[in-house]
Amino acid sequence: MVATRAPASFVFRRRELVGRERELGLLLERVAWAAAGRLSVALLAGEAGIGKTLLLDTLARRAAEQGATVLRGGASADEGMPPYLPFIQALGAYARQAPLDVLRAEVDGAGPVLAAVLPELATRLPDEPGAAYLPADQARLRLFDAVGSLLERIAADRPLVLVFDDLHWADAASLDLVCYVARQHPTARLLLVGAYRAEEAELRPELQRALVELNRLRVLETVAVGPLDRDEVGALARGHLGAPSAPGVTAALAEHSEGNPFFVEELLRGWVETGVLVRGRAAWDLVGAPPTLPSGLVGAVRSRLARLSAETVELLEAAAVVGRSFDVGVVAQVVGRDPEVVEGRLAEARRAHVVEAVDADHCRFVHDKVRECLVDGVASYRRRRLHGLIGLALEERDGSPSELAFHFASSGDRARGAEHALTAADQARDRFAFDEARALFATALDLIGVDDPRRGDALLRLGEAARLAGDEAEAAEAFQAALDWFAARGDRSAAGRAARHLAETWARVEQSALSREAFERAIALLDPDGDADLALALAGLATLLAVSLHEHLSGIDHARRALAVAERLRDARVLAVATRTLGNLLVRVDDLEEGTALLERALELSTACGDTAEAAECCACLTIGHFWAGAINRSREVGQRRLELARLGHDPYQLRHAYTWLAVLDATQGRLDDAALLLDAASERVERLASPEPRAYLQFCRAAMRFFTGDVLAAEADVEPAIKLFRAIGPGALVWYLGLLGLIQAAGGRREEARATFEELDGLTRELARGSLHVVEPLAYLAQLALVLDDDALVDRVRPRLEPLSGRFGDFLFDRLLGEMALRDGDRAKAGRLLGAAEALARREGLVWELGRTLEASARLALATRDRNGRRAAAYHLNEAAVIYEGVGAPGEARRVRVELRRLDRGGVQRAHLPAGLSPREAEVLKLVAAGRTNRQIAADLVLSEKTVENHLASVYAKTGAENRAAATAFAFRNGLA
């Protein structure tokens, strides 16, 4: 064989996509989905060097050829990169190039909001009106909404493909924005396709959370990118070399590279450059045994760097400290060389495929592992010196504050590092990237001295960023440090503000004693004549006292004082908080009329000023008030609005009960499948919270659902750990939930344990202030437990406390409970009135469980008449109750009721007593038809829906052979039914 060594000028051909037809096909299918108006997210997952970026490049080219708009961006491992980097790169390029009239229409007045991440808009659209001030959590919503709307408008005429590389390095804010767009714009003609390293994703909880959320939204397609097989390795080698390679070459490449395309390329380069791989007449072949590649990517990169001159490596080390991409002029200034000399050295690096040109002034390392290896080779002292020189060079070029902060901090220049870190932190906060902001504030605080006048404010800002990021522990630590710092310097106003923030943070995690102490200190420090901080501190303490500590009168006093201060200030947001606080507390002491009116007013105020978080809190209070009033459908409407507002606010604290509460309403109305889905959605959110209360409440709700469907063992397994958590929180929480444990114990035959639970719960309720609506639900459980235990003494003890709550609802209808108690006393008239009221409310509001229980009680009342009609009525009530229990998935309850029906049948009550096999309800409907009543009138008389009346009437026609109302009326008179 005649073979020739490759000339020194031999250049590998451009790398083409090999062996990824399946993966590319899946991605192109998602492009078609986007064209059809279906948003989706497709993510490539694979190890470093496996070819993810090349696959993204190919998709971008093919999508553009098919008419899609393609915008590209990516995350970076470089320190000092701004939040939202993938979006900044992709949309920034679009904002610079789009025709001005098109850009103006697509921005649609949101330029000032979008300018937080797209500064290009301020230049291109300078006449856009300024954005109104909003609190940080709500302003973040506006930014996310503006970005999502911009993307949807860009995609209006043709599909938009966003290509994001290296998402394993993406900041939390970028990932949150991806999830927001996917959730809020499901019909956008948009495909977001990205890549991440699977092995590094496990170390990034923010990426894991995003993947879970995108999966939950059913928009995510994860495409695993695995190694190439032997034939694909051969095809890749041919593409690089420009000619076939001998079978032995392919076999050696496949063995040593393990199918990793980056390794294949490194092996080929090394073999060619060392003369081991030579070009023959027909194919490339090996001369002797090939040297193996050092294990791993790092070894492969070091092998490549070893073939460069020492001067070039030294230059590249300085460039690597700058970042993955670097300005050639900055590198020249840092190393003190003429730019032309630097360009010459970089030419050698480009020929070795270590760097590649981005434009005339910038280069980029071809792989981040190349940069990592170079940085690792720089001694610590030289690295610090290089960071300082880079910082100075970037200052002259107006570098980004986050980059400057990183380089100066790394150089040991504390003053410059702190200055730029604070600026960068403020920018991150203004861009609503709260995780990045708190990291930068922490960096600044590490660099500035204890007596630096900026320290107290920086601590406050760190606390705010940490709380918005959902880290209450870090927030509390920062606020406490700020409080101590301001107090030591005699700044009472700032110390009071820090104490208020600290108190609010402790309240979030159920630390009531610490929260109370901080609120009281804030009020003592703040101006007694009143400002916004004082009003908010008074409102916060009022809620804590009344809701968590059950000091209702004191809480209401503080709430009234807060409202008086807020009314003097005329600040709509503060006024909304104070109004909501007083309204909530009045509702909780059974003043539903005034309390609900105040809550509705607070909701109007918060909505008018765009305060979504406060509006969500108003809805949370209203939905509970409507629930206790028995207006379950209205509670659902307000609860749904609360969920929508809480989602928009991006605050996990606002979502702590939003899904769970809607699940409770669904379960109360018998929609158990819907309730289960909502509880699953709630579980994903409460697991992130520091407070144990939302997790305990979620577990309690699961236990209640299982108990009411008859799965007592599963209910007990769920309720016991929940009760344990509530005990740890304190009696103010335990009182709400202990009653379910008693009912589960009684159902399991453990009557003495159930009695002990009754006594404990009774004692807890008596500790609460009389007249407080906090006792509504505990009293309902006490009454139900007393009835289940069939204990006259317990019934007599709880009955007087129930009487004022007639018409209320607290998981059980008080009228039904009171009706059953009246029936035990033999007062059938009173029992009938109460049970009738309970049945009417249960039917109106769809309270299926309570309707079943009320029908059972009505059956017992009917049997108490001891006549034939009573037995028929009882059979009718029990039959409907059984049907209800079967319909909601409680077969055990249905079997129990049908046993009672069979017992009645043996006593002489048969459906055959009615002509034509009519049911009792059908006979009632027929009797009213014969009386000339319309379907609407019949529905009102029997407390049914018109649709149900129509169904009953259709069955009557079928059974009697009547074709119309006149014939049915004649049948009724012939058979004594009218």
Side-chain angles (χ1 to χ4, degrees), residues 154-204:
I154 294 173
D157 295 328
R158 54 180 180 161
L160 170 62
V161 179
L162 287 180
V163 180
F164 290 164
D165 205 356
D166 295 324
L167 285 177
H168 47 277
W169 288 318
D171 57 286
S174 294
L175 296 169
D176 287 345
L177 180 49
V178 168
C179 293
Y180 178 88
V181 172
R183 183 168 54 247
Q184 298 296 326
H185 299 272
T187 60
R189 304 177 66 189
L190 173 63
L191 167 64
L192 192 153
V193 59
Y196 67 91
R197 294 183 195 167
E199 68 274 16
E200 295 199 25
E202 298 176 0
L203 306 176
R204 299 294 306 276

Side-chain angles (χ1 to χ4, degrees), residues 72-76 84-94 96 118:
R72 301 200 61 162
S76 172
Y84 306 108
L85 182 61
F87 287 94
I88 289 172
Q89 291 176 341
L91 289 174
Y94 182 81
R96 290 189 295 272
L118 298 176

